[in-house]
Structure formats: structure tokens, C-alpha cells
Short mmCIF file of all heavy atoms in Angstrom, two decimals:
data_model
loop_
_atom_site.label_atom_id
_atom_site.label_comp_id
_atom_site.label_asym_id
_atom_site.label_seq_id
_atom_site.Cartn_x
_atom_site.Cartn_y
_atom_site.Cartn_z
N GLU A 1 -37.01 76.29 -244.43
CA GLU A 1 -37.77 77.19 -245.34
C GLU A 1 -37.21 77.18 -246.76
O GLU A 1 -37.92 77.52 -247.69
CB GLU A 1 -37.70 78.62 -244.80
CG GLU A 1 -38.42 78.86 -243.47
CD GLU A 1 -39.92 78.93 -243.64
OE1 GLU A 1 -40.39 78.96 -244.81
OE2 GLU A 1 -40.65 78.97 -242.61
N THR A 2 -35.96 76.77 -246.90
CA THR A 2 -35.30 76.86 -248.21
C THR A 2 -35.06 75.53 -248.92
O THR A 2 -34.57 75.50 -250.04
CB THR A 2 -33.93 77.62 -248.07
OG1 THR A 2 -33.09 76.84 -247.19
CG2 THR A 2 -34.15 79.00 -247.51
N ARG A 3 -35.36 74.41 -248.27
CA ARG A 3 -34.93 73.10 -248.80
C ARG A 3 -35.81 72.66 -249.95
O ARG A 3 -35.40 71.79 -250.71
CB ARG A 3 -34.99 72.08 -247.71
CG ARG A 3 -36.35 71.84 -247.06
CD ARG A 3 -36.23 70.84 -245.95
NE ARG A 3 -37.54 70.69 -245.26
CZ ARG A 3 -37.73 69.87 -244.24
NH1 ARG A 3 -36.74 69.14 -243.79
NH2 ARG A 3 -38.92 69.77 -243.67
N HIS A 4 -37.00 73.21 -250.14
CA HIS A 4 -37.87 72.71 -251.20
C HIS A 4 -38.02 73.78 -252.28
O HIS A 4 -38.69 74.80 -252.13
CB HIS A 4 -39.28 72.38 -250.66
CG HIS A 4 -39.28 71.30 -249.61
ND1 HIS A 4 -38.81 70.04 -249.90
CD2 HIS A 4 -39.66 71.26 -248.35
CE1 HIS A 4 -38.91 69.27 -248.85
NE2 HIS A 4 -39.41 70.01 -247.87
N GLY A 5 -37.33 73.63 -253.37
CA GLY A 5 -37.51 74.46 -254.58
C GLY A 5 -36.85 75.80 -254.53
O GLY A 5 -37.04 76.61 -255.47
N ILE A 6 -36.08 76.14 -253.50
CA ILE A 6 -35.41 77.44 -253.40
C ILE A 6 -33.91 77.24 -253.50
O ILE A 6 -33.32 76.47 -252.74
CB ILE A 6 -35.75 78.18 -252.11
CG1 ILE A 6 -37.29 78.51 -252.09
CG2 ILE A 6 -34.96 79.45 -251.96
CD1 ILE A 6 -37.73 79.20 -250.85
N GLU A 7 -33.27 77.92 -254.42
CA GLU A 7 -31.81 77.83 -254.63
C GLU A 7 -31.15 78.96 -253.82
O GLU A 7 -31.52 80.11 -253.91
CB GLU A 7 -31.50 78.00 -256.09
CG GLU A 7 -29.98 77.95 -256.36
CD GLU A 7 -29.66 78.28 -257.84
OE1 GLU A 7 -30.63 78.58 -258.59
OE2 GLU A 7 -28.48 78.23 -258.19
N VAL A 8 -30.17 78.58 -253.00
CA VAL A 8 -29.41 79.51 -252.21
C VAL A 8 -28.02 79.65 -252.79
O VAL A 8 -27.26 78.67 -252.89
CB VAL A 8 -29.30 79.12 -250.72
CG1 VAL A 8 -28.47 80.12 -249.95
CG2 VAL A 8 -30.69 78.99 -250.13
N VAL A 9 -27.67 80.86 -253.28
CA VAL A 9 -26.41 81.10 -253.92
C VAL A 9 -25.51 81.93 -252.99
O VAL A 9 -25.93 82.99 -252.50
CB VAL A 9 -26.62 81.84 -255.27
CG1 VAL A 9 -25.27 82.14 -255.91
CG2 VAL A 9 -27.51 81.03 -256.19
N ARG A 10 -24.30 81.44 -252.77
CA ARG A 10 -23.33 82.18 -251.92
C ARG A 10 -22.28 82.83 -252.76
O ARG A 10 -21.63 82.12 -253.60
CB ARG A 10 -22.67 81.18 -250.96
CG ARG A 10 -23.61 80.54 -249.93
CD ARG A 10 -22.96 79.38 -249.27
NE ARG A 10 -23.76 78.72 -248.25
CZ ARG A 10 -24.71 77.85 -248.48
NH1 ARG A 10 -24.99 77.47 -249.72
NH2 ARG A 10 -25.41 77.33 -247.49
N GLN A 11 -22.12 84.10 -252.62
CA GLN A 11 -21.07 84.84 -253.35
C GLN A 11 -20.24 85.58 -252.26
O GLN A 11 -20.32 86.81 -252.10
CB GLN A 11 -21.66 85.87 -254.31
CG GLN A 11 -22.50 85.18 -255.44
CD GLN A 11 -23.18 86.19 -256.34
OE1 GLN A 11 -23.18 87.43 -256.12
NE2 GLN A 11 -23.77 85.68 -257.43
N PHE A 12 -19.43 84.80 -251.57
CA PHE A 12 -18.69 85.32 -250.43
C PHE A 12 -17.34 85.90 -250.82
O PHE A 12 -16.65 85.37 -251.76
CB PHE A 12 -18.43 84.19 -249.41
CG PHE A 12 -19.69 83.76 -248.67
CD1 PHE A 12 -19.66 82.61 -247.91
CD2 PHE A 12 -20.89 84.45 -248.82
CE1 PHE A 12 -20.81 82.18 -247.23
CE2 PHE A 12 -22.03 84.04 -248.19
CZ PHE A 12 -22.01 82.88 -247.40
N ASP A 13 -16.95 86.94 -250.17
CA ASP A 13 -15.59 87.50 -250.30
C ASP A 13 -14.61 86.49 -249.72
O ASP A 13 -14.77 85.99 -248.59
CB ASP A 13 -15.49 88.83 -249.56
CG ASP A 13 -14.26 89.63 -249.88
OD1 ASP A 13 -13.17 89.02 -249.86
OD2 ASP A 13 -14.37 90.84 -250.17
N ASP A 14 -13.56 86.14 -250.51
CA ASP A 14 -12.68 85.06 -250.08
C ASP A 14 -11.60 85.49 -249.04
O ASP A 14 -10.82 84.67 -248.60
CB ASP A 14 -12.03 84.39 -251.27
CG ASP A 14 -11.25 85.41 -252.13
OD1 ASP A 14 -11.24 86.60 -251.77
OD2 ASP A 14 -10.74 85.00 -253.20
N ARG A 15 -11.59 86.78 -248.70
CA ARG A 15 -10.63 87.26 -247.71
C ARG A 15 -11.12 86.95 -246.28
O ARG A 15 -12.31 87.02 -246.03
CB ARG A 15 -10.35 88.73 -247.87
CG ARG A 15 -9.43 89.07 -249.01
CD ARG A 15 -9.43 90.50 -249.32
NE ARG A 15 -10.70 90.97 -249.86
CZ ARG A 15 -10.92 92.19 -250.36
NH1 ARG A 15 -9.92 93.05 -250.38
NH2 ARG A 15 -12.09 92.51 -250.83
N GLU A 16 -10.19 86.69 -245.40
CA GLU A 16 -10.53 86.46 -243.98
C GLU A 16 -10.62 87.78 -243.28
O GLU A 16 -9.60 88.47 -243.08
CB GLU A 16 -9.48 85.53 -243.33
CG GLU A 16 -9.49 84.14 -243.89
CD GLU A 16 -8.52 83.25 -243.10
OE1 GLU A 16 -7.93 83.73 -242.10
OE2 GLU A 16 -8.37 82.07 -243.51
N VAL A 17 -11.81 88.16 -242.87
CA VAL A 17 -12.01 89.43 -242.16
C VAL A 17 -12.79 89.16 -240.89
O VAL A 17 -13.49 88.15 -240.79
CB VAL A 17 -12.76 90.45 -243.03
CG1 VAL A 17 -11.92 90.91 -244.18
CG2 VAL A 17 -14.08 89.89 -243.54
N ARG A 18 -12.67 90.05 -239.95
CA ARG A 18 -13.32 89.90 -238.64
C ARG A 18 -14.24 91.07 -238.40
O ARG A 18 -13.94 92.21 -238.71
CB ARG A 18 -12.30 89.77 -237.51
CG ARG A 18 -11.48 88.52 -237.62
CD ARG A 18 -12.25 87.32 -237.13
NE ARG A 18 -11.56 86.07 -237.28
CZ ARG A 18 -11.98 84.92 -236.82
NH1 ARG A 18 -13.11 84.85 -236.16
NH2 ARG A 18 -11.29 83.81 -237.00
N ILE A 19 -15.38 90.77 -237.78
CA ILE A 19 -16.34 91.76 -237.34
C ILE A 19 -16.43 91.78 -235.84
O ILE A 19 -16.42 90.68 -235.21
CB ILE A 19 -17.77 91.47 -237.93
CG1 ILE A 19 -17.73 91.46 -239.47
CG2 ILE A 19 -18.80 92.46 -237.40
CD1 ILE A 19 -17.46 92.79 -240.06
N CYS A 20 -16.46 92.93 -235.23
CA CYS A 20 -16.65 93.01 -233.78
C CYS A 20 -18.15 93.05 -233.48
O CYS A 20 -18.85 94.01 -233.84
CB CYS A 20 -15.98 94.25 -233.21
SG CYS A 20 -16.11 94.38 -231.40
N GLY A 21 -18.65 91.98 -232.86
CA GLY A 21 -20.06 91.93 -232.63
C GLY A 21 -20.48 90.68 -231.88
O GLY A 21 -19.63 89.97 -231.33
N SER A 22 -21.79 90.45 -231.85
CA SER A 22 -22.36 89.26 -231.18
C SER A 22 -22.80 88.28 -232.24
O SER A 22 -23.66 88.60 -233.09
CB SER A 22 -23.55 89.74 -230.32
OG SER A 22 -24.30 88.62 -229.89
N GLU A 23 -22.20 87.10 -232.22
CA GLU A 23 -22.55 86.13 -233.24
C GLU A 23 -24.00 85.67 -233.17
O GLU A 23 -24.66 85.57 -234.21
CB GLU A 23 -21.62 84.89 -233.04
CG GLU A 23 -21.83 83.85 -234.12
CD GLU A 23 -20.83 82.71 -234.04
OE1 GLU A 23 -19.80 82.94 -233.40
OE2 GLU A 23 -21.07 81.67 -234.67
N PRO A 24 -24.56 85.42 -231.97
CA PRO A 24 -26.01 85.01 -231.96
C PRO A 24 -26.93 86.10 -232.45
O PRO A 24 -27.93 85.83 -233.12
CB PRO A 24 -26.25 84.68 -230.47
CG PRO A 24 -25.18 85.34 -229.74
CD PRO A 24 -24.00 85.36 -230.65
N GLN A 25 -26.62 87.36 -232.11
CA GLN A 25 -27.49 88.45 -232.56
C GLN A 25 -27.45 88.62 -234.07
O GLN A 25 -28.48 88.78 -234.74
CB GLN A 25 -27.11 89.76 -231.90
CG GLN A 25 -27.42 89.76 -230.39
CD GLN A 25 -27.00 91.07 -229.72
OE1 GLN A 25 -26.81 92.07 -230.39
NE2 GLN A 25 -26.89 91.06 -228.39
N LEU A 26 -26.26 88.59 -234.66
CA LEU A 26 -26.14 88.73 -236.08
C LEU A 26 -26.72 87.52 -236.83
O LEU A 26 -27.34 87.65 -237.89
CB LEU A 26 -24.69 88.94 -236.51
CG LEU A 26 -24.05 90.26 -236.11
CD1 LEU A 26 -22.57 90.30 -236.44
CD2 LEU A 26 -24.78 91.44 -236.77
N SER A 27 -26.56 86.34 -236.25
CA SER A 27 -27.24 85.16 -236.79
C SER A 27 -28.73 85.32 -236.86
O SER A 27 -29.40 84.92 -237.83
CB SER A 27 -26.86 83.90 -235.99
OG SER A 27 -25.48 83.60 -236.10
N GLN A 28 -29.30 85.97 -235.82
CA GLN A 28 -30.74 86.19 -235.77
C GLN A 28 -31.13 87.12 -236.92
O GLN A 28 -32.18 86.91 -237.56
CB GLN A 28 -31.13 86.84 -234.41
CG GLN A 28 -32.59 87.09 -234.30
CD GLN A 28 -32.97 87.68 -232.96
OE1 GLN A 28 -32.12 87.87 -232.10
NE2 GLN A 28 -34.26 87.96 -232.71
N VAL A 29 -30.32 88.12 -237.23
CA VAL A 29 -30.61 89.05 -238.33
C VAL A 29 -30.66 88.29 -239.64
O VAL A 29 -31.62 88.41 -240.47
CB VAL A 29 -29.58 90.17 -238.44
CG1 VAL A 29 -29.77 91.02 -239.68
CG2 VAL A 29 -29.67 91.07 -237.20
N PHE A 30 -29.65 87.44 -239.89
CA PHE A 30 -29.60 86.70 -241.16
C PHE A 30 -30.73 85.64 -241.29
O PHE A 30 -31.27 85.44 -242.36
CB PHE A 30 -28.23 86.03 -241.33
CG PHE A 30 -27.08 87.05 -241.33
CD1 PHE A 30 -25.94 86.80 -240.58
CD2 PHE A 30 -27.16 88.18 -242.03
CE1 PHE A 30 -24.91 87.70 -240.55
CE2 PHE A 30 -26.12 89.14 -242.02
CZ PHE A 30 -25.02 88.85 -241.28
N VAL A 31 -31.09 85.05 -240.15
CA VAL A 31 -32.23 84.14 -240.16
C VAL A 31 -33.49 84.88 -240.59
O VAL A 31 -34.28 84.40 -241.42
CB VAL A 31 -32.42 83.49 -238.81
CG1 VAL A 31 -33.75 82.78 -238.71
CG2 VAL A 31 -31.35 82.46 -238.54
N ASN A 32 -33.73 86.05 -240.03
CA ASN A 32 -34.92 86.84 -240.34
C ASN A 32 -34.94 87.16 -241.84
O ASN A 32 -35.98 87.01 -242.52
CB ASN A 32 -34.96 88.13 -239.54
CG ASN A 32 -35.30 87.90 -238.08
OD1 ASN A 32 -35.94 86.89 -237.75
ND2 ASN A 32 -34.85 88.78 -237.24
N LEU A 33 -33.81 87.61 -242.40
CA LEU A 33 -33.80 87.98 -243.81
C LEU A 33 -33.98 86.80 -244.73
O LEU A 33 -34.71 86.86 -245.71
CB LEU A 33 -32.45 88.67 -244.12
CG LEU A 33 -32.17 90.00 -243.41
CD1 LEU A 33 -30.83 90.57 -243.85
CD2 LEU A 33 -33.30 91.02 -243.66
N VAL A 34 -33.33 85.67 -244.43
CA VAL A 34 -33.44 84.48 -245.27
C VAL A 34 -34.87 83.89 -245.20
O VAL A 34 -35.47 83.55 -246.23
CB VAL A 34 -32.41 83.43 -244.83
CG1 VAL A 34 -32.67 82.11 -245.57
CG2 VAL A 34 -31.00 83.94 -245.13
N VAL A 35 -35.44 83.85 -244.00
CA VAL A 35 -36.81 83.35 -243.83
C VAL A 35 -37.81 84.21 -244.56
O VAL A 35 -38.73 83.73 -245.26
CB VAL A 35 -37.19 83.20 -242.36
CG1 VAL A 35 -38.69 82.90 -242.19
CG2 VAL A 35 -36.38 82.04 -241.71
N ASN A 36 -37.68 85.52 -244.45
CA ASN A 36 -38.56 86.45 -245.13
C ASN A 36 -38.48 86.28 -246.63
O ASN A 36 -39.50 86.25 -247.37
CB ASN A 36 -38.24 87.90 -244.77
CG ASN A 36 -38.72 88.28 -243.38
OD1 ASN A 36 -39.52 87.54 -242.79
ND2 ASN A 36 -38.28 89.39 -242.89
N ALA A 37 -37.21 86.17 -247.13
CA ALA A 37 -37.03 85.93 -248.59
C ALA A 37 -37.64 84.62 -249.04
O ALA A 37 -38.33 84.56 -250.09
CB ALA A 37 -35.55 86.01 -248.91
N ALA A 38 -37.46 83.58 -248.29
CA ALA A 38 -38.02 82.28 -248.65
C ALA A 38 -39.52 82.27 -248.64
O ALA A 38 -40.14 81.71 -249.51
CB ALA A 38 -37.50 81.17 -247.68
N GLN A 39 -40.14 82.94 -247.67
CA GLN A 39 -41.57 83.01 -247.60
C GLN A 39 -42.13 83.85 -248.75
O GLN A 39 -43.21 83.59 -249.27
CB GLN A 39 -42.01 83.55 -246.28
CG GLN A 39 -41.76 82.57 -245.13
CD GLN A 39 -42.14 83.15 -243.77
OE1 GLN A 39 -42.40 84.35 -243.63
NE2 GLN A 39 -42.17 82.31 -242.73
N ALA A 40 -41.41 84.88 -249.16
CA ALA A 40 -41.83 85.72 -250.30
C ALA A 40 -41.77 84.88 -251.61
O ALA A 40 -42.60 85.04 -252.48
CB ALA A 40 -40.95 86.96 -250.39
N LEU A 41 -40.75 84.01 -251.72
CA LEU A 41 -40.64 83.18 -252.92
C LEU A 41 -41.67 82.06 -252.98
O LEU A 41 -41.94 81.55 -254.07
CB LEU A 41 -39.22 82.58 -252.98
CG LEU A 41 -38.08 83.54 -253.20
CD1 LEU A 41 -36.79 82.85 -253.01
CD2 LEU A 41 -38.15 84.20 -254.54
N ASP A 42 -42.22 81.69 -251.84
CA ASP A 42 -43.30 80.71 -251.77
C ASP A 42 -42.88 79.39 -252.43
O ASP A 42 -43.62 78.82 -253.23
CB ASP A 42 -44.55 81.27 -252.42
CG ASP A 42 -45.82 80.45 -252.03
OD1 ASP A 42 -45.75 79.74 -251.05
OD2 ASP A 42 -46.81 80.54 -252.79
#
């Protein structure tokens, strides 16, 4: 969804921190947000 004409900028915190959770479930959340944003940008 993002490879054609959409710039993805990462501004990550450089500290190593851990979250207690489910990696596949949180990945699903980020996929939904990124895909929605990409489709809105058209």
C-alpha cells in the first residue's frame, strides 16, 4: 500500500524498552493504521 508515492518516516525512540503483550495482535493494529493512512493518501 505504501510502495508507490508514499513516504514513510520513522521517528523512533532510541531506548530499548519492552511491552507486555501479543506481537501478532499489535502488528495487526499497526497494519490497520498504516493501510488506512495509505488509502487516505491515495
Side-chain angles (χ1 to χ4, degrees):
E1 294 283 352
T2 61
R3 61 183 176 179
H4 298 300
I6 295 178
E7 179 186 4
V8 178
V9 178
R10 297 167 176 82
Q11 297 176 354
F12 291 170
D13 194 311
D14 55 4
R15 283 168 292 190
E16 292 186 4
V17 292
R18 294 282 175 174
I19 299 293
C20 182
S22 167
E23 184 172 345
Q25 291 180 17
L26 290 175
S27 294
Q28 181 178 359
V29 172
F30 300 135
V31 167
N32 287 335
L33 295 182
V34 172
V35 169
N36 285 348
Q39 291 178 348
L41 292 173
D42 196 20

